[in-house]
Amino acid sequence: MTTTPGTPPRLDIAVVGGSIGGLFAASLLSRAGHRVTVLERSEHGLARRGAGLVAQQELFELLHLIGRDDAGRIGVVAHERITLNREGGVVHRDPTPQTQLSWDHLYEVLRAAVPRDAYRLASRVRSVHGTEQQAVIELEGDRREAFDLVIGADGLGSVAREAVAPGRTANSPAGYVTWRGLVPESALPAAAGSVLLERFGFFTGPRSHLLGYLVPGPAGEITRGDRRYNWVWYRPMAPDALAALMESAGRPPTDVSLAPGQLPSPLRDDLVSAATRELPPPFADAVAAEPRPFLQAIFDYVPPRLTQGRVVLLGDAAVVVRPHTAMGAAKAAGDAMALSALLDALPLGRALARYDAERLPVGRAISDYGRRLAASLPFAH
């Protein structure tokens, strides 16, 4: 910890988790002069692992704060929203435009905003312990490191939660999952592209809720022909069925997601067959165009608090919100901006107390909103 007269001290901060939530915090705090270390468990980084996201105001504000307004302008605009019926006809139009960004490009922009040697790959954190004096991280290999502050930004399976809310870290399954695909727009058959491209499309059926939209290419390409089509298909799946699916895919039954390429070909064929039976033809074609669909189970989690000692939670590690809100990235950006501003204005203890008081109600409100939206789906509970 270093100090300058008249200003809060510059801190030695660890961020557990190197996805965009952790990078939101790391980029802001590095820019503010703190010494930041990002601990990411993957061996090769997270490039090319995302899909698309709907741009919200908080994201634009954060990009402005790190001097990257340009990244917020690299998006694809859907000029209208459409709802399809089972036969593929457009039954509703909403002329409201909406901008979609590339998760991949955003990740690269944020990672470039953090010093290269501050982002440590293959750093598997086993546990976090916080006191009023310091926070200690235990890593694989029996290594321990102490910091002035640890930010848990390690998502749905956060190990940092236990330091903040002991015994109250479990996610609650929502009873359904999201299948996702991300394909070059040129992979869509012409008939499907004529309906889906340039639009934000929706369909709701007895066992399905699907939406799709264009996003930039992996390096931020936005010219026609270089973009990608992102589809998101919600389907019911009980916890025991999810465990069985994971075992069929050669994964531990406790896993809750499949990355691109982890779904065996016969199960991918089953998904394509289900799309043909359940979805409008344009959306069924979009599903069939994805050779490596991926999956994420849907959960809820709201902790009793966001901070304890010198450990603080952010993003999905703090509050899990359902993707229907399209506010997960925006909430993480809001968390990061609030934390950075408070650390810049107040002593550490007061800053963390204020962060908890300000951001926990926001997370809880978005979580409640997501459950209300999900209640309208024919299969959600």
Side-chain angles (χ1 to χ4, degrees), residues 306-307 312 338-339 341-343 345-362:
L306 297 182
T307 68
V312 58
L339 181 60
L342 289 166
L343 290 174
L346 297 171
L348 179 57
R350 289 173 56 196
L352 295 182
R354 182 77 65 83
Y355 174 82
D356 187 85
E358 290 182 5
R359 296 306 297 177
L360 183 55
V362 172

Side-chain angles (χ1 to χ4, degrees), residues 181-218:
L182 186 66
V183 299
E185 61 179 307
S186 59
L188 293 179
S194 67
V195 175
L196 300 177
L197 299 182
E198 316 300 340
R199 295 159 164 170
F200 202 122
F202 295 88
F203 169 74
T204 300
R207 290 180 51 83
S208 296
H209 177 66
L210 190 145
L211 57 128
Y213 48 86
L214 280 167
V215 300

Side-chain angles (χ1 to χ4, degrees), residues 328-342:
K331 184 184 74 67
D335 290 345
M337 287 188 292
L339 181 60
S340 179
L342 289 166

Side-chain angles (χ1 to χ4, degrees), residues 37 48 64 167 186 227 256 277 326 328 334 374:
T37 302
R48 304 295 188 265
H64 177 72
S186 59
R227 304 166 300 181
V256 296
R277 295 192 305 270

Side-chain angles (χ1 to χ4, degrees), residues 34 41 94 105 111 120 201 240 242 261 308 364 375:
H34 300 284
R41 67 179 181 177
D94 177 356
H105 182 62
R111 183 158 179 189
R120 288 166 39 184
D240 57 346
L242 177 64
Q308 183 69 32
R364 185 180 291 115

Side-chain angles (χ1 to χ4, degrees), residues 110-177:
L110 293 167
R111 183 158 179 189
V114 176
R116 181 179 295 273
D117 61 356
Y119 193 99
R120 288 166 39 184
L121 295 169
S123 297
R124 291 183 172 270
V125 176
R126 297 194 305 183
S127 63
V128 178
H129 309 281
T131 68
E132 297 302 322
Q133 290 73 42
Q134 65 177 2
V136 176
I137 285 177
E138 295 187 2
L139 298 107
E140 285 189 350
D142 295 324
R143 293 181 294 133
R144 293 166 59 92
E145 298 184 37
F147 297 88
D148 298 320
L149 177 67
V150 169
I151 299 171
D154 46 342
L156 191 71
S158 172
V159 299
R161 284 180 186 170
E162 185 64 25
V164 174
R168 301 180 66 178
T169 64
N171 302 295
S172 300
Y176 60 104
V177 302

